[in-house]
Amino acid sequence: MPRKRIYTDEERLERHREASRRYREANLEKVTAYNKKWKSENWEYYSEYNREYLRRWRQNKKAGRVTS
């Protein structure tokens, strides 16, 4: 019986990203519907997260550390 392959962390992440990309590509409508549903059910969390993200972005912009 062959031994199970052990992947490095980078390989594991790359495999996960690729599988996730393929799934999203194949099930675009399902993923879009799920994301819309999640956003509407968790709007408090989403708005708080967005507020914090924008606050950090503005802070970095003022400090002159814009990365993108």
Side-chain angles (χ1 to χ4, degrees):
M1 195 163 127
R3 293 178 64 157
K4 189 173 180 182
R5 166 101 196 267
I6 297 172
Y7 295 99
T8 64
D9 286 348
E10 292 81 20
E11 287 173 324
R12 193 173 47 76
L13 275 173
E14 190 53 44
R15 286 169 57 86
H16 171 74
R17 285 189 199 109
E18 183 59 28
S20 186
R21 185 190 63 74
R22 278 197 309 264
Y23 178 84
R24 283 193 312 269
E25 216 170 65
N27 299 288
L28 190 59
E29 294 84 15
K30 193 191 290 186
V31 171
T32 303
Y34 173 83
N35 287 343
K36 281 183 182 174
K37 182 173 175 271
W38 188 92
K39 206 168 173 180
S40 67
E41 289 174 355
N42 297 283
W43 64 269
E44 296 106 338
Y45 167 82
Y46 189 76
S47 62
E48 183 60 36
Y49 172 83
N50 205 24
R51 188 177 303 117
E52 181 62 23
Y53 177 85
L54 287 173
R55 186 188 66 74
R56 273 187 267 119
W57 181 81
R58 286 189 200 99
Q59 194 175 11
N60 287 341
K61 189 176 175 188
K62 279 183 190 169
R65 292 191 309 258
V66 178
T67 55
S68 56

